[in-house]
Amino acid sequence: MNSVKNLPEKTIERLSQYRRVLLDCLRQGKYNIYSHELASLLHINPVQVRRDIMLIGHNGTLRKGYDVKRLSDMIGTIIDSKEGQKVAVVGVGNLGRAIMTYFQGKRTKLVIAAAFDTDPAKVNRVIAGIRCYAASEMEEVIRKEGITIGVITVPPDKAAESAEKLVMAGIRGILNYTPVALNVEPHAYLEEYDMVTSLEKVAFFVKNRS
Amino acid sequence: MNSVKNLPEKTIERLSQYRRVLLDCLRQGKYNIYSHELASLLHINPVQVRRDIMLIGHNGTLRKGYDVKRLSDMIGTIIDSKEGQKVAVVGVGNLGRAIMTYFQGKRTKLVIAAAFDTDPAKVNRVIAGIRCYAASEMEEVIRKEGITIGVITVPPDKAAESAEKLVMAGIRGILNYTPVALNVEPHAYLEEYDMVTSLEKVAFFVKNRS
């Protein structure tokens, strides 16, 4: 299982998506799933699904497909840490709040443990079930709570500063939702998402299909 | 330029990201940029950047790199429609609001023209500068306004129903932010984003770098 450390980013993304679908199946009482069903639900190629799942050392059977519970647990051992990881949200605006609300209870091994903002009206309050601290307390809270991941949802002009503070506080992974391309120390893993890109992609394909 | 219709999805994503960086450059008074600068700002390989930009028929010079304004305009002709496209946001919760606020004035050729919700407290109000209509008015408003793209930010149990209504109203592209994998008519382009996947990806790499 040592080789899973070297799985490409895109494979990890798909494994996470497979698990989302598998957990949905379990909730619906569906205990077996074929690769083509999984593929169709995620709009990808069944060959891709089979290749990814073989890569993590799992196999289905021709007759019944994959065992939903076993495959989902297996993906869990790859993505999750045994002891779990804690996440901080920096910037409790609409997007920060959406993420805090959305994530509640979604995954047991990945928990939003703190939020940070500079607005006195938000500081020291519990918002969407998560305690909001002053931005000035960031380093202290992150170290005390053992938070390893930071999600940045501040206004663009505060993005670089927030990333710097997170890394100084010992954060090892950042998910950046601002449109500002960040530069962080190479020991911190950086993932960036800009919704304009998603929307422009849709716009492009709409334009060219007409 | 006919071949740009067949550009792969990932290339379109990167072109959109290049343009975001180029527009930032223009705002900062920077009129030339090298492929390696563009690459470094987006944490990708300079060879990839040069390949993508050659693919759309543009070339930089060794001495000055790319002309920022020309390249950004060129990407515009590929991604944007001449007459622009209108977008509707379905579900004015935290995420819907975040998108409406975030997008304001960002792109001239892609405009959020309407929002929909079922909450009487939101209907017939202007939220983040955008008029919010009752969900029951969806088909009428979309046809009247000529809206082509729908962004779905409703609760998961309303996702499928919203997608169906959008497609029936004539929408040709959907950006789905709910965790529910949708099934839409093949003539509508579907893009899905789940933030749990982004966060799990970060968690995986944090775990494996320690």
Side-chain angles (χ1 to χ4, degrees):
Chain A
M1 285 285 284
N2 217 358
S3 63
V4 299
K5 284 201 181 195
N6 303 316
L7 288 174
E9 298 197 5
K10 292 293 159 198
T11 308
I12 296 301
E13 270 179 33
R14 285 191 301 268
L15 289 175
S16 166
Q17 289 165 348
Y18 300 155
R19 178 161 65 163
R20 190 189 69 206
V21 170
L22 295 169
L23 292 174
D24 277 345
C25 288
L26 285 180
R27 268 188 290 273
Q28 292 160 23
K30 180 174 167 67
Y31 300 108
N32 291 284
I33 192 166
Y34 294 108
S35 54
H36 68 84
E37 291 176 279
L38 207 42
S40 141
L41 281 164
L42 292 164
H43 318 292
I44 57 178
N45 194 312
V47 175
Q48 179 78 74
V49 173
R50 287 193 287 272
R51 197 186 294 145
D52 288 336
I53 292 176
M54 263 172 52
L55 209 61
I56 65 168
H58 192 72
N59 277 295
T61 66
L62 255 182
R63 207 167 52 84
K64 287 184 151 189
Y66 301 112
D67 179 310
V68 172
K69 179 74 172 64
R70 274 191 57 205
L71 181 53
S72 138
D73 287 347
M74 187 124 193
I75 295 175
T77 63
I78 290 165
I79 292 178
D80 301 333
S81 320
K82 230 175 262 159
E83 60 296 355
Q85 287 195 60
K86 291 185 181 175
V87 179
V89 171
V90 184
V92 188
N94 289 314
L95 185 58
R97 239 182 263 249
I99 292 169
M100 287 151 67
T101 310
Y102 179 89
F103 217 74
Q104 281 204 345
K106 276 266 158 66
R107 294 289 180 274
T108 47
K109 294 293 189 184
L110 204 50
V111 173
I112 299 179
F116 298 96
D117 207 290
T118 50
D119 182 351
K122 292 172 187 162
V123 171
N124 292 326
R125 281 187 49 206
V126 173
I127 298 169
I130 291 150
R131 179 153 195 103
C132 180
Y133 297 90
S136 57
E137 299 172 275
M138 206 181 288
E139 186 153 358
E140 192 194 326
V141 175
I142 285 175
R143 292 201 188 276
K144 200 183 63 192
E145 292 275 346
I147 293 169
T148 51
I149 296 170
V151 179
I152 302 183
T153 48
V154 296
D157 59 318
K158 300 277 179 252
E161 184 193 323
S162 300
E164 214 170 290
K165 279 171 98 175
L166 283 170
V167 171
M168 279 201 344
I171 281 286
R172 303 216 316 277
I174 287 178
L175 176 51
N176 173 27
Y177 278 111
T178 77
V180 178
L182 294 178
N183 243 318
V184 299
E185 300 283 319
H187 67 267
Y189 179 82
L190 176 66
E191 170 81 8
E192 307 197 295
Y193 176 78
D194 183 17
M195 42 188 133
V196 172
T197 296
S198 290
L199 211 43
E200 288 194 335
K201 196 170 146 190
V202 176
F204 171 84
F205 285 102
V206 165
K207 169 188 162 185
N208 286 306
R209 281 185 180 191
S210 51
Chain B
M1 286 285 285
N2 217 359
S3 63
V4 300
K5 283 201 183 195
N6 303 317
L7 288 174
E9 296 197 7
K10 292 293 160 196
T11 308
I12 296 302
E13 271 181 32
R14 285 191 302 268
L15 289 174
S16 166
Q17 288 164 347
Y18 300 156
R19 179 161 67 162
R20 190 189 69 206
V21 171
L22 295 169
L23 293 174
D24 277 343
C25 288
L26 285 180
R27 268 189 290 274
Q28 292 160 22
K30 181 175 167 66
Y31 300 108
N32 290 284
I33 193 166
Y34 294 107
S35 53
H36 67 84
E37 292 176 278
L38 207 43
S40 143
L41 282 163
L42 292 164
H43 318 292
I44 57 176
N45 193 313
V47 175
Q48 179 79 73
V49 173
R50 287 194 286 272
R51 197 185 295 144
D52 287 336
I53 293 177
M54 261 170 53
L55 209 62
I56 64 168
H58 191 71
N59 276 296
T61 65
L62 255 182
R63 207 165 55 82
K64 287 185 150 187
Y66 300 112
D67 179 311
V68 172
K69 179 74 172 66
R70 275 192 57 206
L71 181 52
S72 137
D73 287 347
M74 188 125 191
I75 294 175
T77 62
I78 290 165
I79 293 177
D80 301 333
S81 319
K82 229 176 263 160
E83 60 296 354
Q85 287 194 61
K86 289 184 182 176
V87 179
V89 171
V90 185
V92 188
N94 288 314
L95 186 58
R97 238 182 263 249
I99 291 168
M100 287 150 69
T101 310
Y102 179 89
F103 217 75
Q104 281 207 342
K106 276 264 159 66
R107 294 288 181 276
T108 48
K109 295 292 188 185
L110 204 50
V111 172
I112 299 179
F116 298 96
D117 207 289
T118 50
D119 181 353
K122 292 173 188 162
V123 170
N124 291 326
R125 281 185 51 205
V126 173
I127 298 169
I130 292 150
R131 180 154 195 103
C132 180
Y133 298 90
S136 57
E137 300 172 273
M138 207 180 290
E139 184 153 359
E140 191 195 327
V141 174
I142 284 174
R143 293 199 189 277
K144 200 183 63 189
E145 292 276 345
I147 293 169
T148 51
I149 297 169
V151 179
I152 302 184
T153 48
V154 296
D157 59 317
K158 300 276 178 252
E161 183 194 324
S162 300
E164 213 170 291
K165 280 171 97 175
L166 282 170
V167 171
M168 278 199 347
I171 282 284
R172 303 215 317 276
I174 287 178
L175 175 51
N176 173 26
Y177 278 111
T178 77
V180 179
L182 294 177
N183 245 319
V184 299
E185 300 282 320
H187 68 265
Y189 178 83
L190 176 66
E191 169 80 8
E192 307 197 296
Y193 176 77
D194 182 18
M195 42 188 133
V196 173
T197 295
S198 290
L199 211 43
E200 289 195 333
K201 196 170 148 193
V202 176
F204 171 84
F205 285 101
V206 165
K207 170 187 163 187
N208 285 306
R209 282 187 179 190
S210 51

Short mmCIF file of all heavy atoms in Angstrom, two decimals, chain B residues 163-191:
data_model
loop_
_atom_site.label_atom_id
_atom_site.label_comp_id
_atom_site.label_asym_id
_atom_site.label_seq_id
_atom_site.Cartn_x
_atom_site.Cartn_y
_atom_site.Cartn_z
N ALA B 163 -32.44 20.93 -11.79
CA ALA B 163 -31.78 20.69 -13.07
C ALA B 163 -32.82 20.43 -14.15
O ALA B 163 -32.74 20.95 -15.27
CB ALA B 163 -30.83 19.50 -12.95
N GLU B 164 -33.82 19.64 -13.80
CA GLU B 164 -34.88 19.30 -14.75
C GLU B 164 -35.62 20.56 -15.20
O GLU B 164 -35.87 20.76 -16.40
CB GLU B 164 -35.84 18.35 -14.05
CG GLU B 164 -36.47 17.33 -14.96
CD GLU B 164 -37.21 16.29 -14.12
OE1 GLU B 164 -36.53 15.50 -13.41
OE2 GLU B 164 -38.45 16.31 -14.13
N LYS B 165 -35.95 21.40 -14.23
CA LYS B 165 -36.67 22.63 -14.55
C LYS B 165 -35.83 23.54 -15.44
O LYS B 165 -36.35 24.18 -16.36
CB LYS B 165 -37.05 23.38 -13.26
CG LYS B 165 -38.28 22.82 -12.58
CD LYS B 165 -38.50 23.42 -11.21
CE LYS B 165 -39.48 24.57 -11.22
NZ LYS B 165 -39.75 25.04 -9.82
N LEU B 166 -34.54 23.61 -15.15
CA LEU B 166 -33.65 24.46 -15.94
C LEU B 166 -33.60 23.98 -17.39
O LEU B 166 -33.69 24.78 -18.33
CB LEU B 166 -32.24 24.46 -15.35
CG LEU B 166 -32.00 25.32 -14.10
CD1 LEU B 166 -30.64 25.02 -13.48
CD2 LEU B 166 -32.12 26.81 -14.44
N VAL B 167 -33.45 22.67 -17.55
CA VAL B 167 -33.35 22.13 -18.90
C VAL B 167 -34.66 22.33 -19.65
O VAL B 167 -34.67 22.71 -20.83
CB VAL B 167 -32.93 20.64 -18.87
CG1 VAL B 167 -33.02 20.02 -20.25
CG2 VAL B 167 -31.50 20.51 -18.33
N MET B 168 -35.77 22.13 -18.96
CA MET B 168 -37.08 22.36 -19.59
C MET B 168 -37.25 23.81 -20.02
O MET B 168 -37.94 24.10 -20.99
CB MET B 168 -38.20 21.99 -18.62
CG MET B 168 -38.45 20.50 -18.61
SD MET B 168 -40.07 20.04 -17.93
CE MET B 168 -40.67 21.50 -17.14
N ALA B 169 -36.62 24.72 -19.27
CA ALA B 169 -36.74 26.14 -19.58
C ALA B 169 -35.81 26.54 -20.72
O ALA B 169 -35.81 27.70 -21.15
CB ALA B 169 -36.43 26.96 -18.34
N GLY B 170 -34.99 25.59 -21.20
CA GLY B 170 -34.16 25.89 -22.35
C GLY B 170 -32.69 26.16 -22.03
O GLY B 170 -31.91 26.53 -22.91
N ILE B 171 -32.31 25.98 -20.77
CA ILE B 171 -30.90 26.17 -20.36
C ILE B 171 -30.01 25.19 -21.12
O ILE B 171 -30.39 24.05 -21.34
CB ILE B 171 -30.81 25.91 -18.83
CG1 ILE B 171 -31.31 27.12 -18.07
CG2 ILE B 171 -29.41 25.49 -18.41
CD1 ILE B 171 -30.39 28.29 -18.02
N ARG B 172 -28.80 25.63 -21.50
CA ARG B 172 -27.93 24.74 -22.28
C ARG B 172 -26.64 24.35 -21.56
O ARG B 172 -25.85 23.55 -22.07
CB ARG B 172 -27.65 25.36 -23.64
CG ARG B 172 -28.97 25.67 -24.40
CD ARG B 172 -28.84 25.46 -25.86
NE ARG B 172 -27.58 26.02 -26.33
CZ ARG B 172 -27.38 27.31 -26.65
NH1 ARG B 172 -28.38 28.17 -26.59
NH2 ARG B 172 -26.21 27.72 -27.04
N GLY B 173 -26.44 24.92 -20.38
CA GLY B 173 -25.27 24.54 -19.59
C GLY B 173 -25.58 24.66 -18.11
O GLY B 173 -26.28 25.59 -17.70
N ILE B 174 -25.11 23.70 -17.31
CA ILE B 174 -25.39 23.70 -15.87
C ILE B 174 -24.09 23.54 -15.09
O ILE B 174 -23.25 22.70 -15.42
CB ILE B 174 -26.38 22.56 -15.51
CG1 ILE B 174 -27.79 22.93 -16.00
CG2 ILE B 174 -26.38 22.29 -14.00
CD1 ILE B 174 -28.83 21.86 -15.74
N LEU B 175 -23.97 24.36 -14.06
CA LEU B 175 -22.86 24.21 -13.12
C LEU B 175 -23.48 23.79 -11.80
O LEU B 175 -24.23 24.55 -11.19
CB LEU B 175 -22.11 25.54 -13.00
CG LEU B 175 -20.97 25.63 -11.98
CD1 LEU B 175 -19.98 24.49 -12.12
CD2 LEU B 175 -20.25 26.98 -12.13
N ASN B 176 -23.20 22.55 -11.40
CA ASN B 176 -23.85 21.97 -10.22
C ASN B 176 -22.93 22.00 -9.00
O ASN B 176 -21.91 21.33 -8.98
CB ASN B 176 -24.25 20.52 -10.55
CG ASN B 176 -24.78 19.77 -9.35
OD1 ASN B 176 -25.31 20.36 -8.41
ND2 ASN B 176 -24.65 18.45 -9.37
N TYR B 177 -23.31 22.77 -7.99
CA TYR B 177 -22.51 22.85 -6.77
C TYR B 177 -23.04 21.97 -5.65
O TYR B 177 -22.54 22.01 -4.54
CB TYR B 177 -22.43 24.30 -6.28
CG TYR B 177 -21.39 25.11 -6.99
CD1 TYR B 177 -21.73 26.13 -7.86
CD2 TYR B 177 -20.03 24.86 -6.78
CE1 TYR B 177 -20.76 26.87 -8.51
CE2 TYR B 177 -19.06 25.59 -7.43
CZ TYR B 177 -19.43 26.60 -8.29
OH TYR B 177 -18.46 27.31 -8.93
N THR B 178 -24.08 21.20 -5.91
CA THR B 178 -24.57 20.29 -4.88
C THR B 178 -23.77 18.99 -4.95
O THR B 178 -23.18 18.68 -5.98
CB THR B 178 -26.07 19.96 -5.07
OG1 THR B 178 -26.19 18.99 -6.12
CG2 THR B 178 -26.89 21.18 -5.43
N PRO B 179 -23.75 18.20 -3.87
CA PRO B 179 -23.01 16.94 -3.92
C PRO B 179 -23.73 15.84 -4.70
O PRO B 179 -23.21 14.74 -4.84
CB PRO B 179 -22.88 16.56 -2.44
CG PRO B 179 -23.99 17.26 -1.75
CD PRO B 179 -24.28 18.50 -2.53
N VAL B 180 -24.91 16.14 -5.22
CA VAL B 180 -25.70 15.14 -5.95
C VAL B 180 -25.25 15.08 -7.41
O VAL B 180 -25.26 16.10 -8.10
CB VAL B 180 -27.19 15.50 -5.90
CG1 VAL B 180 -28.02 14.49 -6.67
CG2 VAL B 180 -27.67 15.61 -4.46
N ALA B 181 -24.84 13.90 -7.85
CA ALA B 181 -24.46 13.74 -9.26
C ALA B 181 -25.73 13.80 -10.11
O ALA B 181 -26.64 13.01 -9.90
CB ALA B 181 -23.74 12.41 -9.46
N LEU B 182 -25.80 14.73 -11.04
CA LEU B 182 -27.02 14.94 -11.81
C LEU B 182 -26.99 14.19 -13.13
O LEU B 182 -25.94 13.85 -13.65
CB LEU B 182 -27.20 16.43 -12.10
CG LEU B 182 -27.46 17.32 -10.89
CD1 LEU B 182 -27.56 18.77 -11.33
CD2 LEU B 182 -28.74 16.90 -10.19
N ASN B 183 -28.16 13.96 -13.64
CA ASN B 183 -28.32 13.39 -14.96
C ASN B 183 -29.11 14.37 -15.80
O ASN B 183 -30.29 14.59 -15.52
CB ASN B 183 -29.11 12.08 -14.85
CG ASN B 183 -28.24 10.93 -15.26
OD1 ASN B 183 -27.49 11.04 -16.23
ND2 ASN B 183 -28.31 9.84 -14.52
N VAL B 184 -28.48 14.99 -16.78
CA VAL B 184 -29.26 15.93 -17.59
C VAL B 184 -29.24 15.47 -19.04
O VAL B 184 -28.40 14.68 -19.46
CB VAL B 184 -28.74 17.38 -17.49
CG1 VAL B 184 -28.82 17.89 -16.05
CG2 VAL B 184 -27.33 17.50 -18.01
N GLU B 185 -30.17 15.98 -19.80
CA GLU B 185 -30.23 15.68 -21.23
C GLU B 185 -28.87 15.95 -21.86
O GLU B 185 -28.23 16.95 -21.54
CB GLU B 185 -31.23 16.65 -21.90
CG GLU B 185 -32.64 16.55 -21.37
CD GLU B 185 -33.36 15.34 -21.94
OE1 GLU B 185 -33.18 15.07 -23.14
OE2 GLU B 185 -34.07 14.67 -21.17
N PRO B 186 -28.45 15.08 -22.77
CA PRO B 186 -27.10 15.23 -23.33
C PRO B 186 -26.88 16.56 -24.07
O PRO B 186 -25.74 16.96 -24.27
CB PRO B 186 -26.95 14.03 -24.26
CG PRO B 186 -28.30 13.44 -24.41
CD PRO B 186 -29.11 13.86 -23.23
N HIS B 187 -27.93 17.26 -24.46
CA HIS B 187 -27.70 18.52 -25.18
C HIS B 187 -27.30 19.65 -24.22
O HIS B 187 -26.87 20.70 -24.65
CB HIS B 187 -28.92 18.92 -26.02
CG HIS B 187 -30.11 19.31 -25.19
ND1 HIS B 187 -31.10 18.42 -24.88
CD2 HIS B 187 -30.43 20.46 -24.58
CE1 HIS B 187 -32.00 19.03 -24.13
NE2 HIS B 187 -31.62 20.26 -23.92
N ALA B 188 -27.46 19.41 -22.93
CA ALA B 188 -27.01 20.42 -21.97
C ALA B 188 -25.65 20.01 -21.42
O ALA B 188 -25.44 18.86 -21.04
CB ALA B 188 -28.02 20.55 -20.84
N TYR B 189 -24.71 20.95 -21.37
CA TYR B 189 -23.38 20.66 -20.86
C TYR B 189 -23.42 20.74 -19.34
O TYR B 189 -23.96 21.69 -18.78
CB TYR B 189 -22.36 21.65 -21.42
CG TYR B 189 -20.97 21.41 -20.88
CD1 TYR B 189 -20.15 20.45 -21.44
CD2 TYR B 189 -20.50 22.14 -19.79
CE1 TYR B 189 -18.88 20.20 -20.93
CE2 TYR B 189 -19.23 21.90 -19.27
CZ TYR B 189 -18.43 20.93 -19.86
OH TYR B 189 -17.19 20.70 -19.34
N LEU B 190 -22.84 19.73 -18.68
CA LEU B 190 -22.90 19.68 -17.22
C LEU B 190 -21.50 19.72 -16.61
O LEU B 190 -20.62 18.94 -16.98
CB LEU B 190 -23.60 18.38 -16.78
CG LEU B 190 -23.68 18.11 -15.28
CD1 LEU B 190 -24.55 19.14 -14.56
CD2 LEU B 190 -24.21 16.70 -15.02
N GLU B 191 -21.31 20.63 -15.66
CA GLU B 191 -20.05 20.70 -14.92
C GLU B 191 -20.41 20.59 -13.44
O GLU B 191 -21.35 21.25 -12.98
CB GLU B 191 -19.37 22.04 -15.24
CG GLU B 191 -18.20 22.43 -14.39
CD GLU B 191 -16.89 21.74 -14.81
OE1 GLU B 191 -16.90 21.08 -15.88
OE2 GLU B 191 -15.91 21.86 -14.08
#
